[in-house]
Amino acid sequence: MRSLYRATRVHTLSHPTEGEWLLIDGRHIERVGSGEPPAADRTVDLPGCTIIPGFIDSHVHLTGTGLAGVGIPIDTARHAEELLGLVAEELTHGPTKILAHGFDESDWQPRTLPTMAELDELGETPIVLVRADGHLSLANSAAIERSGALQHDGIERDQSGNPSGVLRRDANSRVQRWFHETLTEHEIRELQLQAASLAAGRGITCVHEMAIPAWRGRRDIEVLLEQRMQLPVDVVPYVADMDIPYVMGLGLETIGGDLSVDGSLGARTAAIGEPYTDDGSTGSLYLDSDELAEFFHNAHLAGLQVAVHAIGDAAIEQTLVVWERVYRTLDSRGRRHFRARRHRIEHFEMAAPQQVERAAGLGLAISVQPAFDAEWGHPGAMYEQRLGERRAVAMNPFATLLARGIEVGAGSDSPVTPLDPMYGLWALENHHDPAQRMSREHAIRLFTVGSARLARLDEKKGRLEPGMQADFAAYEADPFVVLDPRELRPVLTVSRGRDVSAR
Ligand SMILES: [Zn+2]
């Protein structure tokens, strides 16, 4: 069946760059053109509208996004008391357990977290409050006990040696995984579906799912793979699991994704060379270099594309040194194949100029989260609190990465920042460093062509040209020129030829 979409403008991000109509045949684009349109079985008229390629979000946690959508809106809390108040209010509805996501004490006044005593005063119901970045949780005694988190490292203790309620590293993983293990398969399916529908409603036609079995169990990715084809948007899965046979057994050609080489700056678990200015620690490297080298080497030889999460300069350094080690073992043919694999580093936030050069030299691809800069990169915000002005100013050098010829794609890390490419575009244009700001067209390319290339799907996605998948969205205002894109929502989203618009 051939469908014709007629609009005022079709931006193809290809040649020709613009048209007035788009003809699709089933799941694929047949032609884009101007003037008299060809005959079709069905015509969709979108007068005044602009069609653009569907956005591709290169870093999403679907189940977490679904949960954040139905949970307590703790991201709105402005201090510890308000956070506790929101939880107390929820407890009046009699839940059997609570997990809420999104508090960010870096813009609280004062920035003090609630104490264990305050969390325990709320009662016997297990409570887990996950920091915006996911790398730190607050848990009450009931949640710590039930989850068995005490047996894991990362339990912060107060002066008298008792748990403070702050959980990092393995203890944070354990308490989140405990919660997710209590969900039914049906609940997980529904949360993933809700998140995928939200994506479609925002003009996204494909997401790179960053599954984290350590936080959500292996069942989470298994449920997603079962329903992948029924979801409104296309899903490219990455699994943060070092068990290569397991991941290959799932039928995937990718591995890692959000596999933690370090943690986050917000939780002070990102591994950095010089200490955090606000507490003197240096974060932590989660993996041993030999272990990481063996993993990279074996996964590469198995034909997989490998991605890892690295935020701090010391974690980026470890990742680069280990890739350089693996690269040296390859002959010249092996080295060409290596580059074509586009192994990825997620976040890459504190990269020093020489580290950018080395990533470019290896042909590594970078998955950036522009909204991180909008949320935390500006003067006085969290990065400056944690790192001081000198280091904060140099972070997230997006334009430099592009100028060095590095493959760059963009994502939200939803639910860490909103699942909304328009916010990402705005963030790219309003980078804290004017030298790193990007034009609207370059910003749109990052979230379409760039993210397609990161998943090695650039022959199928990211542009509107004959033979490519019919992935696009239509807007009443032209996203290429509208002054502030943040409120812009599509009137139509089509993913692989299907109308998946929000209803
Ligand atoms: Zn990550």
Side-chain angles (χ1 to χ4, degrees):
M1 165 138 133
R2 297 161 91 215
S3 303
L4 177 73
Y5 292 84
R6 287 205 294 195
T8 296
R9 199 172 295 105
V10 180
H11 286 284
T12 64
L13 290 178
S14 184
H15 302 286
T17 55
E18 284 193 21
E20 291 163 353
W21 49 259
L22 179 68
L23 182 68
I24 72 171
D25 188 2
R27 296 164 145 247
H28 296 91
I29 294 165
E30 196 172 303
R31 274 165 70 197
V32 180
S34 297
E36 196 54 35
D41 303 309
R42 173 176 162 262
T43 299
V44 179
D45 274 313
L46 299 159
C49 288
T50 300
I51 291 176
I52 68 167
F55 288 108
I56 302 173
D57 190 316
S58 71
H59 196 116
V60 171
H61 306 283
L62 285 173
T63 307
T65 300
L67 263 178
V70 297
I72 321 172
I74 59 170
D75 55 322
T76 62
R78 288 165 301 173
H79 44 75
E81 246 170 83
E82 217 166 78
L83 177 71
L84 294 166
L86 285 165
V87 177
E89 145 75 25
E90 178 70 14
L91 285 165
T92 62
H93 304 131
T96 55
K97 59 187 185 285
I98 285 180
L99 179 139
H101 170 271
F103 78 86
D104 181 357
E105 85 293 352
S106 71
D107 57 11
W108 285 2
Q109 208 51 260
R111 294 186 196 127
T112 325
L113 294 173
T115 63
M116 188 68 164
E118 288 169 327
L119 290 165
D120 280 345
E121 268 168 35
L122 293 169
E124 299 289 299
T125 309
I127 298 165
V128 183
L129 307 175
V130 183
R131 198 180 183 285
D133 53 72
H135 292 266
L136 180 152
S137 302
L138 294 172
N140 66 352
S141 294
I144 290 178
E145 249 162 61
R146 296 257 204 110
S147 64
L150 268 189
Q151 273 87 58
H152 298 260
D153 64 313
I155 301 265
E156 187 183 270
R157 290 176 186 277
D158 59 24
Q159 278 109 338
S160 35
N162 298 315
S164 70
V166 171
L167 278 55
R168 295 186 178 85
R169 299 183 52 121
D170 290 350
N172 169 51
S173 299
R174 181 59 219 153
V175 78
Q176 291 195 46
R177 193 164 75 247
W178 164 78
F179 178 89
H180 283 273
E181 282 164 353
T182 67
L183 298 176
T184 67
E185 247 182 72
H186 175 76
E187 285 170 325
I188 296 171
R189 251 197 311 276
E190 284 299 307
L191 292 167
Q192 293 170 347
L193 174 60
Q194 279 169 32
S197 305
L198 175 68
R202 298 283 163 85
I204 296 168
T205 53
C206 174
V207 298
H208 302 180
E209 159 69 14
M210 297 288 147
I212 309 181
W215 291 6
R216 300 194 175 91
R218 283 181 167 179
R219 190 178 51 154
D220 186 61
I221 180 65
E222 290 164 6
V223 169
L224 179 63
L225 290 174
E226 274 169 36
Q227 70 163 341
R228 182 181 176 189
M229 299 318 288
Q230 283 82 51
L231 291 174
V233 300
D234 208 357
V235 176
V236 183
Y238 288 79
V239 184
D241 199 310
M242 293 172 86
D243 184 342
I244 295 170
Y246 169 71
V247 172
M248 291 183 80
L250 296 174
L252 302 181
E253 294 176 0
T254 59
I255 195 165
D258 222 358
L259 184 73
S260 285
V261 173
D262 67 345
S264 74
L265 293 165
R268 296 188 194 81
T269 48
I272 59 179
E274 279 174 57
Y276 285 97
T277 47
D278 53 359
D279 85 341
S281 63
T282 53
S284 28
L285 290 171
Y286 290 1
L287 301 164
D288 168 82
S289 290
D290 290 336
E291 181 188 12
L292 195 58
E294 194 188 329
F295 171 64
F296 281 180
H297 192 84
N298 291 339
H300 176 75
L301 291 184
L304 300 172
Q305 183 198 30
V306 185
V308 292
H309 155 127
I311 286 180
D313 51 1
I316 290 169
E317 185 62 24
Q318 185 188 36
T319 306
L320 291 172
V321 166
V322 169
W323 272 129
E324 284 159 353
R325 243 170 92 180
V326 172
Y327 190 77
R328 274 198 298 274
T329 67
L330 307 171
D331 59 17
S332 61
R333 191 170 148 273
R335 289 179 180 185
R336 278 198 304 280
H337 284 289
F338 182 93
R339 301 183 68 86
R341 195 72 60 80
R342 293 180 197 154
H343 295 305
R344 298 169 49 157
I345 300 181
E346 307 297 309
H347 315 309
F348 201 64
E349 288 199 84
M350 266 184 90
Q354 56 89 6
Q355 292 174 325
V356 172
E357 292 307 314
R358 284 156 68 205
L362 285 165
L364 297 175
I366 306 296
S367 164
V368 300
Q369 288 67 45
F372 285 10
D373 181 68
E375 299 278 327
W376 305 305
H378 289 260
M382 189 264 284
Y383 292 156
E384 198 178 292
Q385 294 169 26
R386 298 284 189 270
L387 303 167
E389 196 188 333
R390 176 180 50 85
R391 285 184 293 178
V393 158
M395 284 181 59
N396 287 308
F398 304 140
T400 303
L401 299 180
L402 282 186
R404 288 301 299 118
I406 293 177
E407 301 279 1
V408 184
S412 61
D413 203 359
S414 175
V416 176
T417 71
L419 186 58
D420 185 358
M422 291 301 170
Y423 185 39
L425 299 185
W426 183 86
L428 285 165
E429 291 168 18
N430 291 279
H431 195 283
H432 77 268
D433 177 358
Q436 298 295 338
R437 288 179 190 161
M438 230 169 260
S439 71
R440 180 70 54 81
E441 180 175 341
H442 278 110
I444 291 176
R445 281 184 183 275
L446 228 56
F447 271 98
T448 50
V449 186
S451 294
R453 294 188 64 84
L454 242 54
R456 298 183 298 161
L457 288 171
D458 40 305
E459 298 301 318
K460 293 181 179 165
K461 292 179 179 293
R463 291 165 291 142
L464 301 176
E465 62 180 67
M468 296 183 82
Q469 290 177 356
D471 291 349
F472 55 90
Y475 296 85
E476 279 175 344
D478 185 343
F480 277 68
V481 298
V482 65
L483 212 51
D484 183 342
R486 282 176 295 177
E487 302 297 318
L488 198 54
R489 298 284 178 267
V491 293
L492 169 81
T493 306
V494 173
S495 177
R496 287 172 299 172
R498 293 175 303 160
D499 181 344
V500 294
S501 310
R503 270 173 252 278

